[in-house]
Amino acid sequence: MIECLNLEVTAEQIAPDAPLYGDGLGLDSIDVLEVALVVSKRYGLQLQSGSADNPHIFKSLRSLSDHIAAQRTR
Amino acid sequence: MLMLRVMTWISLRLGRRAGRLVLHPIAGYFLLFAPASRRASSAYLRRVLARPPRWRDLYRHIFTFAATIHDRVYLINRRFDLFEFEVHGEEMLQRLLAGGKGLFLMGAHLGSFEAIRALGRKDTDFRVAMLMHEDNARKINAMLAAINPEAVQDIIGLGHIDSMLTVQQRLDQGCIVGMLADRTPGNDTLCPVRILGADANLPRGPFRMAALLRRPVAFMTGLYLGGNRYAIHFDRLADFSTVARGERDAAVELAITRYAALLDQYCREAPYNWFNFFDFWQASAAATASPT
């Protein structure tokens, strides 16, 4: 994720449970899009707009990776 | 916003010709009693006309704004018979859309974006979703519903975690996603440009998004020429379809520079169509000074 967003932090500095969006890591919705695009390319799962789960999925790095682990197709 | 409400009421009740008579006292009122807008108008006109603006220039500027808002009501009601439109660049737009992957249409607070509805008059199937701030989205939807319940647009509100996924979905359906790309929502990174011979800043967000989603981008403005005449212009801005990740930032910068050049060009062509009634140049300079 750091690689795809060119973030100025190291992987160790991202707390797995800190919020990704807004406060915390401070990603904006375009960053979220970028993450979603990379996730779909690498793990073959589509994140859908309007899904009620989205705020939960993107809550933190942990919730995102849990979701990927559960839904990945490759 | 008060102006918008007053104008809508008048247009609906009185019809275009009578409505336009009432526009004069309204424009006069705003000229006299909205000093902040007047100062901004004056500063802008000084730049674009390259001379100190006179009262009649200021009046014309405000009247042009009022006239386009007034006409919106009729455009929303599909009364295209009331107007004469000249359309430039529609074939280019058709070609870009033929790819079936949608496109971004970047407008500005310049002329009337609503004039794009006029394209639908020939049964060409343009589907447009507008991307905008959530607050504005709510207001506009309320307004549209009041004017013509069938006209409620597909509006995508910014500020949801999945706003961009919705944008992607619309594009995949072959939709045009439109937005006004000349104002910053406040937390966007800025790109320095030159407009009308002075430094200004434009938000990167809209173009970053288009680059990420690898879509073509076109510029759009509906310039009001007076009377019942509008000139609708579409211009190619960029095509991010084949831009690789490493070249993305440079391509975004290039697209924004071209967007700024088009703003410059159309401001000079139709000076009274600039509807940023605040000091656009100074405001964006201040935004660079304190990036928050």
Side-chain angles (χ1 to χ4, degrees):
Chain A
M1 192 168 80
I2 289 167
E3 190 193 325
C4 92
L5 296 178
N6 286 322
L7 292 180
E8 288 167 359
V9 292
T10 62
E12 292 73 36
Q13 281 175 302
I14 302 178
D17 293 310
L20 294 176
Y21 191 63
D23 305 332
L25 200 54
L27 302 190
D28 62 21
S29 59
I30 299 179
D31 295 325
V32 169
L33 168 67
E34 197 149 9
V35 171
L37 291 174
V38 170
V39 164
S40 72
K41 205 147 112 197
R42 193 170 301 174
Y43 302 106
L45 72 107
Q46 287 297 329
L47 295 156
Q48 295 294 336
S49 75
S51 158
D53 295 334
N54 281 338
H56 175 72
I57 295 168
F58 286 100
K59 205 177 77 186
S60 66
L61 194 55
R62 191 188 301 281
S63 62
L64 180 61
S65 47
D66 287 349
H67 180 74
I68 294 169
Q71 302 287 327
R72 64 190 291 178
T73 56
R74 60 173 170 255
Chain B
M1 267 301 136
L2 171 69
M3 188 155 174
L4 196 67
R5 245 177 281 143
V6 174
M7 305 288 317
T8 307
W9 187 89
I10 291 166
S11 325
L12 285 174
R13 297 295 186 285
L14 304 177
R16 189 164 187 265
R17 195 176 298 169
R20 284 177 69 85
L21 289 178
V22 186
L23 289 184
H24 288 284
I26 290 178
Y29 177 88
F30 278 91
L31 181 62
L32 291 175
F33 300 113
S37 306
R38 187 176 66 226
R39 271 194 299 276
S41 163
S42 175
Y44 160 75
L45 289 172
R46 186 181 299 270
R47 278 183 217 283
V48 72
L49 303 174
R51 60 166 171 81
R54 293 185 280 268
W55 278 94
R56 53 169 299 179
D57 299 316
L58 297 171
Y59 182 78
R60 186 169 167 197
H61 193 196
I62 295 174
F63 183 82
T64 304
F65 179 51
T68 58
I69 294 179
H70 181 230
D71 285 344
R72 247 167 119 169
V73 176
Y74 302 104
L75 291 168
I76 290 166
N77 271 320
R78 306 185 58 81
R79 291 293 311 275
F80 306 122
D81 54 304
L82 294 170
F83 301 97
E84 275 176 48
F85 298 102
E86 41 175 280
V87 185
H88 305 271
E90 193 174 348
E91 299 75 24
M92 179 270 307
L93 203 69
Q94 296 278 18
R95 269 201 307 280
L96 290 180
L97 273 175
K101 303 206 70 185
L103 67 86
F104 283 101
L105 203 54
M106 306 281 186
H109 294 80
L110 174 74
S112 169
F113 203 82
E114 208 73 57
I116 195 180
R117 289 177 182 274
L119 286 183
R121 75 197 187 284
K122 292 180 299 192
D123 307 318
T124 35
D125 189 24
F126 283 116
R127 282 172 301 153
V128 183
M130 287 299 291
L131 182 63
M132 63 178 76
H133 269 267
E134 197 62 14
D135 292 354
N136 290 343
R138 258 194 298 274
K139 276 185 216 149
I140 290 204
N141 259 339
M143 187 192 81
L144 288 173
I147 298 170
N148 178 1
E150 284 160 31
V152 175
Q153 250 170 337
D154 192 1
I155 289 176
I156 306 170
L158 280 167
H160 296 285
I161 197 156
D162 59 357
S163 299
M164 295 299 137
L165 296 175
T166 310
V167 169
Q168 186 182 22
Q169 196 176 58
R170 290 289 180 283
L171 291 165
D172 287 342
Q173 294 161 354
C175 279
I176 294 175
V177 173
M179 77 202 75
L180 304 182
D182 57 337
R183 288 189 194 168
T184 85
N187 54 357
D188 204 349
T189 61
L190 299 168
C191 180
V193 291
R194 299 278 294 175
I195 301 175
L196 299 179
D199 291 325
N201 286 288
L202 291 169
R204 280 177 211 269
F207 291 92
R208 255 179 80 209
M209 172 176 60
L212 266 177
L213 290 170
R214 295 167 165 255
R215 291 313 204 278
V217 187
F219 176 84
M220 188 262 168
T221 183
L223 299 172
Y224 179 59
L225 305 181
N228 64 345
R229 291 178 306 125
Y230 281 85
I232 302 173
H233 292 270
F234 297 103
D235 291 270
R236 256 187 105 94
L237 266 178
D239 191 347
F240 295 109
S241 306
T242 55
V243 174
R245 247 187 63 195
E247 303 157 13
R248 208 182 271 154
D249 289 348
V252 164
E253 202 120 316
L254 202 68
I256 297 176
T257 309
R258 170 134 175 77
Y259 176 79
L262 287 167
L263 289 183
D264 187 288
Q265 176 192 328
Y266 288 119
C267 277
R268 292 176 199 274
E269 202 172 307
Y272 299 95
N273 277 264
W274 179 254
F275 299 148
N276 282 309
F277 284 98
F278 59 91
D279 192 342
F280 185 80
W281 286 262
Q282 202 179 27
S284 50
T288 357
S290 57
T292 44

